């Protein structure tokens, strides 16, 4: 078969490992020809490609980012977009397309399957871990490890100066990274989009901690965390050209509010894109490899309109339609019954 591959949306550790696994099994087991589309859907519309083979992917397993390049956006943003995608399939005699992406790219893949019956298979990617239908996306484990390493480092400087540190991690609509890194890093409080925070309650936690003689604290906040209505002024929302809310900076507002209300010296750290860069953890290398192998198997099973997913330890196929328009939220049992036990 001739199989195309694209990576869409924000980059993520493990993308190259997925591509490598698809190519390895596709070429050596199935005798496929693999074609990489450059810059996500733009590369499909414009037929910009690179050949992918086992030899050209040597050394890519531990490499961060994506060798294919990535962009946001979809063929539906362009008047001729769908015709261009169909033309690419016909001109290049493609039998299938593997779409490695997050909620945005997987929704586009699902729509193309519904509208054109395009033979697509999805692979769920994002450090945010917010794709419905899978227990975990690849890239998440690496981002949590990076955030946890940063929190570990911040503990010692916070303790030396008796300071409060507010650490902002990624997570637009879901606080998975904040919750996991906060638990792993021993945070005093974890603020996530799923549970609007009351700044006075956060300050009270910090005051009580100080009364017990603990003068340094780490507050982990997801970039999408919002204050409870009326408890603190919420930020004005800024959107990018694709209508995604552009976040970053809530930690500064929170750090200022904590210092004003408690008088405790407070600093903030914004981890930003460091969480998306660099080599994947061993867990993500294995998960990406399993996803890549499962994706090329799904192609040969003609499982069109499906996505590979991890369910209770097994890699399975689920309909893409199950994920569309949804966001996987933090397990609130984990937040309330585990994380909160250690607050304060
Ligand atoms: O979707 C993953 C993500 O890392 C979000 O957590 C974050 O808000 C966003 O991407 C930022 O992406 P960019 O700056 O590349 O638009």
């Amino acid at each position: 078969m001739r199989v195309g591959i694209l990576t869409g949306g924000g980059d993520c550790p493990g993308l190259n490992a997925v591509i490598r696994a698809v190519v390895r099994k596709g070429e050596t087991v199935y005798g496929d020809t693999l074609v990489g589309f450059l810059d996500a859907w733009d590369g499909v519309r414009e037929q910009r490609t690179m050949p992918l083979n086992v030899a050209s992917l040597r050394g890519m397993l531990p490499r961060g980012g994506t060798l294919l390049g990535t962009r946001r956006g979809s063929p539906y943003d362009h008047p001729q977009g769908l015709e261009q995608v169909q033309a690419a399939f016909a001109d290049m005699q493609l039998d299938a397309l593997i779409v490695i992406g997050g909620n945005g790219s997987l929704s586009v893949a699902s729509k193309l399957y519904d509208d054109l019956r395009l033979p697509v298979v999805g692979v769920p990617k994002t450090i945010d871990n917010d794709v419905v239908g899978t227990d975990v996306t690849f890239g998440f484990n690496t981002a949590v490890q990076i955030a946890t390493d940063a929190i570990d480092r911040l503990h010692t400087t916070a303790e030396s100066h008796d300071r409060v540190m507010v650490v902002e991690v990624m997570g637009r609509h879901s606080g998975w990274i904040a919750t996991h890194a906060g638990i792993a890093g021993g945070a005093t409080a974890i603020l996530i989009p799923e549970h609007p925070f009351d700044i006075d309650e956060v300050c009270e936690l910090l005051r009580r901690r100080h009364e017990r003689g603990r003068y340094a604290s780490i507050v982990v906040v997801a970039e999408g965390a919002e204050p409870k209505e009326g408890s603190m002024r919420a930020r004005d929302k800024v959107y990018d050209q694709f209508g995604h809310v552009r976040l970053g900076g809530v930690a500064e507002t929170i750090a200022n509010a904590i210092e004003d209300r408690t008088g405790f010296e407070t600093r903030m750290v914004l981890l930003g894109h460091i969480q998306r860069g660099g080599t994947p953890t061993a867990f993500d290398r294995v998960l990406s490899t399993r996803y890549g192998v499962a994706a090329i198997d799904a192609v040969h099973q003609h499982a069109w309109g499906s996505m590979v997913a991890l369910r209770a330890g097994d890699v399975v196929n689920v309909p893409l339609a199950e994920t569309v328009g949804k966001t996987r939220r933090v397990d609130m049992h984990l937040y309330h019954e585990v994380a909160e036990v250690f607050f304060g």
Side-chain angles (χ1 to χ4, degrees), residues 97-124:
L97 177 65
I98 295 177
V99 177
I100 312 172
N103 283 321
S105 316
L106 295 175
S107 297
V108 172
S110 180
K111 205 161 158 36
L112 287 170
Y113 173 67
D114 289 344
D115 294 345
L116 307 176
R117 289 287 136 191
L118 213 69
V120 291
V121 168
V123 181

Side-chain angles (χ1 to χ4, degrees), residues 316-339:
V316 296
N317 272 83
V318 298
L320 273 171
E322 272 187 26
T323 77
V324 175
K326 298 179 193 150
T327 303
R328 184 160 175 267
R329 302 300 185 127
V330 165
D331 168 3
M332 293 315 281
H333 183 268
L334 175 70
Y335 184 81
H336 290 305
E337 306 303 326
V338 180

Side-chain angles (χ1 to χ4, degrees), residues 10 72 125-128 170-172 223 240 245-247 273 276:
R72 300 198 193 276
K125 160 246 61 157
T126 167
I127 64 163
D128 291 355
M170 280 187 171
R172 236 195 295 239
E223 60 182 347
D240 69 15
V245 61
R246 181 177 270 171
L247 298 169
H273 294 79
R276 268 182 15 199

Side-chain angles (χ1 to χ4, degrees), residues 213-266:
R214 304 292 308 275
Y215 300 117
S217 304
I218 308 282
V219 175
V220 178
V221 54
E223 60 182 347
E226 299 269 3
K228 261 187 200 153
E229 227 176 286
S231 64
M232 202 177 113
R233 192 178 175 278
R235 290 157 303 155
D236 297 329
K237 289 204 164 56
V238 180
Y239 294 88
D240 69 15
Q241 63 184 122
F242 306 107
H244 295 139
V245 61
R246 181 177 270 171
L247 298 169
V250 67
E252 187 168 12
T253 318
I254 293 171
N256 290 339
I258 289 173
E259 197 165 87
D260 289 350
R261 284 168 162 81
T262 62
F264 302 151
E265 197 181 10
T266 307

Side-chain angles (χ1 to χ4, degrees), residues 10-320:
D11 75 324
C12 173
L15 284 165
N16 290 322
V18 176
I19 299 167
R20 167 185 175 268
V22 169
V23 171
R24 179 64 168 256
K25 185 151 189 192
E27 186 179 305
T28 59
V29 177
Y30 293 115
D32 293 334
T33 300
L34 288 309
V35 180
F37 285 104
L38 303 177
D39 304 326
W41 297 105
D42 288 353
V44 182
R45 286 190 310 101
E46 296 157 6
Q47 300 194 21
R48 287 187 290 111
T49 62
M50 68 181 280
L52 294 172
N53 52 55
V54 171
S56 67
L57 283 161
R58 240 164 236 139
M60 295 312 287
L61 172 63
R63 220 183 143 92
T66 163
L67 81 152
L68 295 176
T70 187
R71 285 186 191 168
R72 300 198 193 276
S74 125
Y76 288 93
D77 303 336
H78 302 267
Q80 305 300 319
L82 297 200
E83 288 82 354
Q84 289 172 317
V85 170
Q86 280 177 311
F89 260 74
D91 294 350
M92 302 174 67
Q93 297 173 330
L94 282 188
D95 299 302
L97 177 65
I98 295 177
V99 177
I100 312 172
N103 283 321
S105 316
L106 295 175
S107 297
V108 172
S110 180
K111 205 161 158 36
L112 287 170
Y113 173 67
D114 289 344
D115 294 345
L116 307 176
R117 289 287 136 191
L118 213 69
V120 291
V121 168
V123 181
K125 160 246 61 157
T126 167
I127 64 163
D128 291 355
N129 198 33
D130 60 358
V131 175
V132 167
T134 183
D135 293 347
V136 67
T137 54
F138 73 87
F140 170 63
N141 182 268
T142 304
V144 169
Q145 190 59 56
I146 292 168
T148 304
D149 290 346
I151 293 168
D152 285 350
R153 288 177 182 278
L154 290 169
H155 271 292
T156 59
T157 170
E159 282 155 16
S160 305
H161 289 266
D162 291 343
R163 280 176 178 156
V164 178
M165 289 281 180
V166 181
V167 189
E168 180 174 319
V169 298
M170 280 187 171
R172 236 195 295 239
H173 306 294
S174 299
W176 285 105
I177 299 176
T179 304
H180 279 237
I183 293 172
T188 298
I190 302 171
L191 313 180
I192 59 174
E194 290 86 343
H195 183 69
F197 65 91
D198 182 330
I199 191 69
D200 292 318
E201 282 172 14
V202 176
C203 291
E204 194 44 39
L205 274 178
L206 295 168
R207 275 194 212 94
R208 271 186 285 166
R209 193 173 152 83
H210 272 229
E211 280 161 20
R212 293 201 316 271
R214 304 292 308 275
Y215 300 117
S217 304
I218 308 282
V219 175
V220 178
V221 54
E223 60 182 347
E226 299 269 3
K228 261 187 200 153
E229 227 176 286
S231 64
M232 202 177 113
R233 192 178 175 278
R235 290 157 303 155
D236 297 329
K237 289 204 164 56
V238 180
Y239 294 88
D240 69 15
Q241 63 184 122
F242 306 107
H244 295 139
V245 61
R246 181 177 270 171
L247 298 169
V250 67
E252 187 168 12
T253 318
I254 293 171
N256 290 339
I258 289 173
E259 197 165 87
D260 289 350
R261 284 168 162 81
T262 62
F264 302 151
E265 197 181 10
T266 307
R267 295 284 191 272
M268 73 94 188
V269 176
L270 209 153
L271 293 184
H273 294 79
I274 289 172
Q275 295 158 95
R276 268 182 15 199
T279 192
T281 55
F283 178 92
D284 275 333
R285 293 182 199 185
V286 174
L287 183 61
S288 301
T289 301
R290 291 178 76 193
Y291 278 171
V293 164
I296 194 70
D297 286 343
V299 163
H300 285 270
Q301 288 151 9
H302 295 194
W304 312 132
S306 74
M307 164 184 101
V308 300
L310 192 73
R311 296 253 178 109
D314 291 327
V315 177
V316 296
N317 272 83
V318 298
L320 273 171

